[in-house]
């Protein structure tokens, strides 16, 4: 077994900041014989190193390895030529320091927050997409929303109350639908994907 390629691009879904896309070096037991046991036991998974300045998983949308699924590609055509610096996602702190087993009230409170988190993540996503379609994914508004997203996801555990700033909200009348003539490639991809789905629905293939 040899390395796939000197470089692979690694990311996950969802990720909102350009720095969440990392280009890493893939290694195998061909270069590192001590990895042979891992290759024998692990299949279709990513093994990140534990040594280094920063954890690669934390550099990718602040991932905390709680069931995250990663995208890994070694196609040279997809590996970006320029890689942005990763954003340092702040570690959240849990306000409830109660010791002992969780009570029924604790469980009700936790799961009731899931509805709020789900609503907020949807609003962050829709506003991010709207700004990206208008100004590109590296605009100030997209960066702020991307940074906010990880805090929203963790708010069910941390208990932090998150509010989307008014300046980051895009009125519905200002939003546009993707088309073949759209400016950005992701808009064109979404347009053709929608056309494909509509065609499949019309022919009864779905």
């Amino acid at each position: 077994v040899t390395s796939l390629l000197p470089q692979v691009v690694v990311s996950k879904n969802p990720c909102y900041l350009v720095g969440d896309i990392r280009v890493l070096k893939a290694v195998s037991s061909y270069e590192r014989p001590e990895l042979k046991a891992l290759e024998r036991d692990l299949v279709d998974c990513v093994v990140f190193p534990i040594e280094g300045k920063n954890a690669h998983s934390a550099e990718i949308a602040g991932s905390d390895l709680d069931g995250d699924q990663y995208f890994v590609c070694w196609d040279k055509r997809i590996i970006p030529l320029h890689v942005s610096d990763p954003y340092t996602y702040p570690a959240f702190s849990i306000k409830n320091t109660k010791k002992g087993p969780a009570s029924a009230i604790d469980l009700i409170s936790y799961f009731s927050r899931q509805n709020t988190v789900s609503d907020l993540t949807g609003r962050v996503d829709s506003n991010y997409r709207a700004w990206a379609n208008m100004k590109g994914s590296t605009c100030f508004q997209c960066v702020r929303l991307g940074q906010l997203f990880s805090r929203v996801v963790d708010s069910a555990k941390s208990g932090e109350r998150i509010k989307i700033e008014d300046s980051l909200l895009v009125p519905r009348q200002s939003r546009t639908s993707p088309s073949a003539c759209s400016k950005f490639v992701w808009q064109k991809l979404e347009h053709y994907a929608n056309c494909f789905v509509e065609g499949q629905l019309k022919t009864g293939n779905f």
Side-chain angles (χ1 to χ4, degrees), residues 17-87:
L17 303 179
V18 292
D20 292 335
I21 300 174
R22 311 307 305 152
V23 175
L24 307 175
K25 183 179 184 296
V27 297
S28 70
S29 59
Y30 183 79
E31 300 95 346
R32 303 281 296 273
E34 65 271 24
L35 301 178
K36 201 165 191 65
L38 290 177
E39 292 178 345
R40 189 170 54 244
D41 300 330
L42 301 177
V43 179
D44 291 336
C45 66
V46 181
V47 179
F48 290 115
I50 60 174
E51 298 176 350
K53 182 179 178 181
N54 298 309
H56 290 315
S57 59
E59 293 176 341
I60 304 172
S63 173
D64 54 4
L65 300 177
D66 58 351
D68 300 299
Q69 294 185 337
Y70 291 91
F71 166 80
V72 181
C73 182
W74 49 92
D75 189 326
K76 291 182 179 179
R77 297 170 299 176
I78 295 180
I79 296 176
L81 299 177
H82 172 73
V83 180
S84 300
D85 292 333
Y87 173 65

Side-chain angles (χ1 to χ4, degrees), residues 87 89-96 109-110 112-118 120-121 144 147-165:
Y87 173 65
Y89 289 90
F92 70 87
S93 58
I94 300 177
K95 293 182 179 180
N96 183 9
S109 176
Y110 173 80
S112 66
R113 287 198 296 269
Q114 299 298 324
N115 291 329
T116 302
V117 171
S118 178
L120 274 174
T121 54
R144 288 288 298 119
Q147 295 169 347
L148 186 65
F149 186 84
S150 67
R151 291 171 53 200
V152 172
V153 171
D154 290 332
S155 63
K157 305 173 188 176
S158 67
E160 181 183 8
R161 294 182 180 274
I162 307 293
K163 182 180 183 300
I164 303 175
E165 302 165 26

Side-chain angles (χ1 to χ4, degrees), residues 111-138:
F111 285 107
S112 66
R113 287 198 296 269
Q114 299 298 324
N115 291 329
T116 302
V117 171
S118 178
D119 175 66
L120 274 174
T121 54
R123 292 177 61 203
V124 169
D125 179 79
S126 63
N127 282 282
Y128 177 95
R129 287 159 55 90
W131 282 114
N133 289 341
M134 292 189 295
K135 303 178 69 172
S137 60
T138 56

